[in-house]
Amino acid sequence: MEDLPFDQNKDFTRESEILKVLGHPVRLKIVAGLMSQSCNVKKIWECLGLPQATVSQHLALLKNKSIISGRREGVEVFYQVTCPEAQKVVGALLSSLILTNDVCDSRI
């Protein structure tokens, strides 16, 4: 990784907000799932085994922070990740987990 100087003029407000939102396990699972496919709320709550109201609250927060957006198709809304920074963070995390699991699996 390249050396980055400390920059007192850089405002990390947006980056901090993204990390805060992604810091909740349910929201992290939602974003990770939506990175592979767009889904409606019913599919999300069925896959996660959570109440619809809980998933809807998390989706609303992700949408308010511009991490996901919804696309209406008839009566259904399909969600997708639209924030490139969130995609990079979650992608890096998932890549790290896959590599870690591969290393752990090879030791067994």
Side-chain angles (χ1 to χ4, degrees), residues 7 11-12 14 36 56 72 80 88 98 108:
D7 184 354
D11 180 14
F12 285 101
R14 174 70 180 144
S36 64
S56 291
R72 185 166 291 282
Q80 60 191 16
K88 288 178 185 175
I98 290 169
I108 296 174

Side-chain angles (χ1 to χ4, degrees), residues 6-72:
F6 289 99
D7 184 354
Q8 69 185 42
N9 297 319
K10 176 65 177 145
D11 180 14
F12 285 101
T13 302
R14 174 70 180 144
E15 293 83 356
S16 175
E17 286 297 317
I18 291 169
L19 291 172
K20 282 187 226 175
V21 173
L22 294 177
H24 192 284
V26 171
R27 291 191 290 270
L28 190 56
K29 287 179 188 179
I30 290 171
V31 171
L34 291 176
M35 284 176 55
S36 64
Q37 62 182 318
S38 64
C39 295
N40 62 15
V41 67
K42 183 177 185 217
K43 183 170 182 176
I44 296 169
W45 61 260
E46 285 176 345
C47 289
L48 295 178
L50 295 170
Q52 183 269 331
T54 300
V55 171
S56 291
Q57 288 176 341
H58 288 292
L59 289 171
L61 182 57
L62 289 164
K63 195 172 176 185
N64 282 341
K65 296 297 182 179
S66 300
I67 293 174
I68 64 169
S69 66
R71 179 185 79 255
R72 185 166 291 282

